[in-house]
Amino acid sequence: MNQVFQHIATVSFQHEFFPESGFSGFEITVSPESERRFLNLQFHIKRYNTGFYIFSSSPELAVNEISPIHFHINFKDSFFWNYTDLKSTMQRNHVLFLDNSIDEKSPYFMGINTTFTSSQFIFLNKNDLKNVSKYVGAALQIKNSAGEIFPYPESLGYGSGFFEEGFFSTVSKSDFFPFYHINGNSFKTPDMILSFSPEILYHKTLNAKPLNYSLQFTAKKTFWKYILVDKVYENFQKLSVIDLTNTDVIFSKSEIQISPNIKATCFVSNQALSFCGEDNRRFQLVDQSNTTSKKSKIILKSLPLATAEMLHATENESEFDSSHIFI
């Protein structure tokens, strides 16, 4: 007999870097510890280009199921962190995390429309809890997403596998430290985790249309620096970079140290410009040495645009990074 699946939810990803084609550069798996629950609830996922669908053949099984289902997301593009407006340094021991059942005031709450920010990075703890001991301060208890409380002296030695994967936080009046715990049986460390409460999915779709979660990434902005390294440009006295697409971008001339003993002329944008994989902006290098002519001499008809590979990160995270474009 053929099963009939009810459409429960749609999760779609948008990214400013891909304004036309959409963001499809990710892989999705159900976490190993959620897989049995996922199958018992008769859930099913179907991937499409920029997201995935969640179906169920027996939605009523999720009525009182509060234990979450975790989806692990990995980004396929190694330059994803370069062109996405998130603190790239956070990814080393953190993971992006959203949960549809957490307090709506929490940065980790997944609403119908959610834009990713660096505040949604959460410390990723693997296996036993010794890794979080230096962060929890004087906390004597920890709490999981279901509200269950456990004593937390390190001497108890909770081993790998004692806790199921999920969101935890310290229980302390003076300190609050959230972290996400994952056990060593995960095949690959995820870049992002999306947690869904089956109960919430059921009740919010009861006698209604499927939920549509729209999750949006913002493109990173950088100051663009056109750096002249070819000796041929020394033959021109009044070089400038002009904007051909009327985006009001002005480039000012300056110098940049490219090695201990070498400086080069560069042109710096007056505003931070976003990365875009489908870019139609055009900039041109011209010379205005001829004072008798109103027209500028075109030196480079179309300058290369900044790409994620050209990112030059600043040490100060409160400042914009720059893109070094050598010509």
Side-chain angles (χ1 to χ4, degrees), residues 129 141-144 148-150 152 163 168-171:
L129 296 183
Q141 296 175 318
I142 57 173
K143 180 171 62 174
N144 65 13
E148 298 175 299
I149 294 177
F150 303 87
Y152 183 73
F163 291 108
F168 288 82
S169 63
T170 56
V171 181

Side-chain angles (χ1 to χ4, degrees), residues 125-166:
N125 178 72
K126 297 180 182 179
N127 298 321
D128 62 44
L129 296 183
K130 291 180 181 179
N131 295 322
V132 301
S133 60
K134 60 183 177 181
Y135 299 103
V136 298
L140 296 177
Q141 296 175 318
I142 57 173
K143 180 171 62 174
N144 65 13
S145 59
E148 298 175 299
I149 294 177
F150 303 87
Y152 183 73
E154 190 178 334
S155 59
L156 287 180
Y158 295 125
S160 176
F162 182 89
F163 291 108
E164 186 176 329
E165 174 183 333

Side-chain angles (χ1 to χ4, degrees), residues 75-92:
F75 304 122
K76 295 190 289 186
D77 189 349
S78 59
F79 288 104
F80 174 84
W81 302 107
N82 282 28
Y83 57 72
T84 304
D85 189 23
L86 295 167
K87 292 180 182 177
S88 58
T89 54
M90 293 291 289
Q91 75 191 57
R92 294 169 189 163

Side-chain angles (χ1 to χ4, degrees), residues 119-309:
S119 64
Q120 290 149 354
F121 276 115
I122 190 169
F123 181 80
L124 183 63
N125 178 72
K126 297 180 182 179
N127 298 321
D128 62 44
L129 296 183
K130 291 180 181 179
N131 295 322
V132 301
S133 60
K134 60 183 177 181
Y135 299 103
V136 298
L140 296 177
Q141 296 175 318
I142 57 173
K143 180 171 62 174
N144 65 13
S145 59
E148 298 175 299
I149 294 177
F150 303 87
Y152 183 73
E154 190 178 334
S155 59
L156 287 180
Y158 295 125
S160 176
F162 182 89
F163 291 108
E164 186 176 329
E165 174 183 333
F167 174 82
F168 288 82
S169 63
T170 56
V171 181
S172 170
K173 292 181 179 179
S174 57
D175 297 304
F176 174 76
F177 180 75
F179 62 94
Y180 193 92
H181 173 71
I182 193 170
N183 290 307
N185 58 347
S186 293
F187 175 71
K188 185 190 295 185
T189 300
D191 295 313
M192 177 169 68
I193 296 172
L194 304 179
S195 292
F196 291 89
S197 162
E199 182 183 45
I200 288 178
L201 290 178
Y202 172 77
H203 285 292
K204 287 196 173 182
T205 57
L206 191 63
N207 300 320
K209 295 181 180 180
L211 289 170
N212 286 295
Y213 291 95
S214 176
L215 309 181
Q216 301 146 16
F217 292 100
T218 305
K220 185 187 293 291
K221 291 184 176 181
T222 65
F223 285 104
W224 290 19
K225 295 182 179 181
Y226 284 105
I227 303 172
L228 310 187
V229 291
D230 195 317
K231 294 290 185 182
V232 70
Y233 301 117
E234 295 177 1
N235 299 323
F236 305 98
Q237 301 300 313
K238 290 188 177 181
L239 289 172
S240 62
V241 174
I242 59 173
D243 176 13
L244 297 178
T245 46
N246 298 317
T247 53
D248 298 323
V249 180
I250 299 172
F251 288 85
S252 58
K253 187 177 181 180
S254 64
E255 281 192 330
I256 187 171
Q257 196 87 35
I258 59 175
S259 73
N261 300 315
I262 301 176
K263 288 184 178 181
T265 299
C266 78
F267 293 91
V268 186
S269 63
N270 67 328
Q271 56 187 278
L273 306 175
S274 60
F275 283 125
C276 184
E278 300 159 353
D279 211 329
N280 59 5
R281 289 173 289 194
R282 282 191 64 204
F283 302 110
Q284 198 171 76
L285 182 67
V286 300
D287 178 56
Q288 297 171 320
S289 297
N290 189 349
T291 56
T292 62
S293 174
K294 293 183 179 181
K295 291 185 177 181
S296 301
K297 180 180 180 180
I298 298 174
I299 308 302
L300 287 176
K301 188 176 182 179
S302 185
L303 287 169
L305 302 177
T307 63
E309 295 93 328

